[in-house]
């Protein structure tokens, strides 16, 4: 996983934005719709996030390290189901963030 994708995942699901996904989504959507200096980074993060989901290269331990343990999953299947829905929220047509796992 490249550093920009890791940074996006850490920001979106770590302590910075975990309680404000709509703010993160707004920034992503704005940047993609209005090309500027952050657009290429957002595209790299989008494509990297899709690759992480496709390849399933991130373990639960990787996830916990990147996100500082804010959200935990019982198994990788639950994690990747959440990531797929999150991808649709941040980069696709979904207007609702998937529910966070029970603590």
């Amino acid at each position: 996983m490249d550093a920009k994708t890791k940074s996006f995942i850490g920001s979106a699901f770590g302590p910075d934005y975990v309680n404000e996904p709509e703010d993160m989504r707004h920034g992503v959507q704005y940047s993609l719709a209005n090309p500027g200096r952050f657009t290429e980074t957002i595209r790299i993060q989008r494509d990297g996030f899709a690759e992480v989901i496709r390849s399933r290269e991130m373990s639960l331990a990787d996830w916990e390290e990147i996100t500082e343990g804010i959200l935990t999953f019982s198994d990788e299947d639950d994690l990747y189901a959440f990531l797929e829905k999150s991808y649709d929220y941040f980069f696709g047509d979904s207007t609702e963030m998937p529910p966070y796992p029970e603590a």
Side-chain angles (χ1 to χ4, degrees):
M1 167 183 346
D2 66 82
K4 288 182 180 178
T5 301
K6 189 174 183 178
S7 175
F8 177 81
I9 292 171
S11 293
F13 305 110
D16 293 338
Y17 282 101
V18 73
N19 292 318
E20 301 171 9
E22 62 281 349
D23 292 344
M24 183 86 168
R25 182 178 190 267
H26 175 74
V28 165
Q29 296 291 320
Y30 180 85
S31 183
L32 291 173
N34 300 286
R37 65 182 183 157
F38 297 113
T39 304
E40 185 60 27
T41 297
I42 296 294
R43 287 181 182 148
I44 290 168
Q45 291 171 330
R46 176 195 62 201
D47 296 347
F49 193 22
E51 177 60 21
V52 165
I53 294 168
R54 187 194 65 71
S55 68
R56 293 179 65 113
E57 67 185 86
M58 185 171 47
S59 69
L60 289 175
D62 295 334
W63 167 262
E64 288 188 24
E65 179 183 330
I66 293 168
T67 63
E68 301 180 38
I70 297 298
L71 302 175
T72 59
F73 293 88
S74 59
D75 61 48
E76 287 186 6
D77 290 337
D78 288 344
L79 168 62
Y80 280 96
F82 175 79
L83 291 177
E84 287 175 9
K85 291 174 185 171
S86 296
Y87 180 91
D88 289 339
Y89 176 72
F90 288 115
F91 301 107
D93 295 332
S94 178
T95 58
E96 292 188 30
M97 181 70 185
Y100 294 141
E102 298 286 328

